[in-house]
Amino acid sequence: MDKSTPVLIVDDYKTMLRIIRNLLKQLEIENVDEATDGAEALSKLRAGNYGLVISDWNMAPMTGLDLLKEVRADARLKNTPFIMITAESKTENVVAAKQAGVSNYIVKPFNAETLREKIEKVMVHA
Amino acid sequence: MPDGTAAPRVPDGTAPRVPEGTTSRVPDGTTSRVPDGTTPPAHPEDARIEAAVRAVLGSMAGDLSATEAALLAELEGLGRTVARAKQEIARLKVDDITEAHIPAATDELDAIVDHTAQATNEILDCCEVLETVAGRASPADAEALQGVITRIYEACSFQDITGQRIGKVVNALKAIEARVASITGQFMQARGAAPPAPAAPVAETATEGRRLANGPQLPGAGVSQADIDKLLADFD
């Protein structure tokens, strides 16, 4: 993976954004931008050029799943790798995310090794 | 019968009676007398129940067995219990629940989220300082420090999970508040009083993402990361 790839992390908990940013920094991924809900993220994605999205699910007004659907429906953004990091751990959530085109799915609480592994996996296919 | 209605007869031709010495036991542990006219009703609601039981007795054709009489007495007891519950609901101070208890509880829960967020940010501040120190340490010490810092970052995600769980409790409290207001409102309307103002409806965008947003599951209720990986692999 090219570690200079711009990454957008999306979570309505600022503490969680800070934790993910720091974990990414340990993976030498430092070109990181943030958004606190799906709508803000979509706006940034359409205006920017991000190579990876790491998003929470449960946000308002636009959830992570709704953001994923918007991304996959956008001709320019549809191939952007998208990892969901969420506390939503029901099978129906994973199935819905996969059907919407998620690249990978991490359930909270997670560890740094899982994050590294999933990022490497989705970026290989990017 | 005092109201002049014809009472059904039990097999021996007498008026229906509950077996000697028995009274109906209502769920709150008290007992009540059958409507034999010996105990005057203590409350208008009791009089209504007694009249209703008499009407049932009066409408019954043919003989009435001791079992049926006992059943009627139980029904009367049940009616009194419902009437008492209605009176208690009518006496409920809904304003205390909706304006004091629930807001106080949600404020306390919000304070917990704020305090855990502050504490977590303090911990993260410390970790970031430690990372700077690790950069000046020997390779072995730096690696050891970095490993510990990573574990602290991982552990700090508790704040997000805690916040989401508390959010679920707050939503449950608000649902209880709305239900209590609705029930008491209906009883107050039935008694001719103005019901309390209904809680403002929560605007809900029914997207699939919102409908499936259930928050953290209790231990053992959700799927593990390993199960998720397997599930995703099955799609490929």
Side-chain angles (χ1 to χ4, degrees):
Chain A
M1 163 188 184
D2 177 1
K3 295 193 174 179
S4 65
T5 300
V7 177
L8 180 65
I9 54 177
V10 193
D11 202 304
D12 55 348
Y13 273 74
K14 289 206 163 63
T15 311
M16 203 64 221
L17 288 173
R18 193 172 171 188
I19 291 168
I20 295 172
R21 179 186 276 277
N22 284 340
L23 289 173
L24 290 174
K25 187 179 171 189
Q26 292 188 340
L27 300 174
E28 298 173 343
I29 299 170
E30 299 196 48
N31 191 358
V32 177
D33 196 5
E34 300 174 356
T36 53
D37 76 89
E40 185 189 356
L42 191 59
S43 175
K44 286 195 169 190
L45 283 165
R46 285 181 172 150
N49 189 28
Y50 298 92
L52 173 64
V53 180
I54 299 174
S55 176
D56 183 27
W57 181 309
N58 200 344
M59 301 175 291
M62 185 189 281
T63 67
L65 185 69
D66 299 328
L67 170 65
L68 171 61
K69 288 179 177 180
E70 291 285 344
V71 168
R72 292 295 177 247
D74 187 300
R76 190 175 74 82
L77 302 175
K78 66 181 179 184
N79 293 321
T80 308
F82 193 114
I83 297 175
M84 194 79 79
I85 297 187
T86 174
E88 304 293 341
S89 60
K90 285 187 170 180
T91 302
E92 61 185 2
N93 293 91
V94 184
V95 170
K98 186 63 186 175
Q99 287 173 340
V102 80
S103 309
N104 221 312
Y105 196 106
I106 300 174
V107 67
K108 293 177 184 172
F110 62 97
N111 59 43
E113 178 56 25
T114 300
L115 180 63
R116 185 195 60 75
E117 178 198 321
K118 303 305 179 196
I119 290 174
E120 285 183 358
K121 195 169 179 182
V122 302
M123 295 310 287
V124 163
H125 298 292
Chain B
M1 304 289 281
D3 61 1
T5 55
R9 317 296 292 182
V10 289
D12 64 0
T14 60
R17 287 180 63 85
V18 170
E20 189 66 34
T22 62
T23 51
S24 60
R25 182 164 291 280
V26 291
D28 64 359
T30 62
T31 55
S32 67
R33 301 287 300 273
V34 288
D36 60 2
T38 58
T39 307
H43 188 276
E45 196 72 21
D46 288 350
R48 281 183 53 210
I49 294 162
E50 190 171 316
V53 173
R54 284 185 194 285
V56 172
L57 288 170
S59 67
M60 293 183 74
D63 292 338
L64 185 66
S65 70
T67 305
E68 288 167 337
L71 184 62
L72 276 173
E74 290 296 337
L75 281 174
E76 185 219 13
L78 194 58
R80 289 186 195 283
T81 303
V82 171
R84 253 193 302 277
K86 284 169 71 178
Q87 289 164 22
E88 284 166 13
I89 288 169
R91 282 197 297 269
L92 268 178
K93 292 182 178 175
V94 184
D95 290 351
D96 285 353
I97 296 171
T98 58
E99 291 173 16
H101 299 317
I102 301 270
T106 53
D107 285 349
E108 293 288 343
L109 293 170
D110 286 343
I112 291 172
V113 174
D114 287 344
H115 289 147
T116 56
Q118 284 172 24
T120 307
N121 279 310
E122 283 286 321
I123 295 167
L124 294 176
D125 286 345
C126 295
C127 284
E128 286 165 8
V129 172
L130 282 174
E131 281 191 312
T132 309
V133 173
R136 297 195 297 268
S138 67
D141 288 347
E143 189 180 343
L145 266 174
Q146 207 61 57
V148 170
I149 292 165
T150 301
R151 286 172 57 196
I152 296 172
Y153 286 149
E154 290 168 355
C156 281
S157 67
F158 86 92
Q159 199 269 327
D160 175 40
I161 306 284
T162 305
Q164 290 194 48
R165 287 199 189 283
I166 289 175
K168 289 172 84 170
V169 175
V170 168
N171 286 338
L173 283 172
K174 286 178 177 168
I176 291 167
E177 177 185 17
R179 291 289 173 89
V180 168
S182 170
I183 290 168
T184 50
Q186 285 171 33
F187 277 108
M188 288 171 76
Q189 262 183 326
R191 288 170 170 251
V202 178
E204 189 71 31
T205 308
T207 64
E208 185 184 22
R210 178 60 50 211
R211 280 188 287 105
L212 292 177
N214 300 304
Q217 299 301 301
L218 290 171
V223 289
S224 67
Q225 185 65 52
D227 291 336
I228 289 168
D229 293 347
K230 189 170 180 300
L231 192 59
L232 293 177
D234 289 344
F235 275 89
D236 296 333

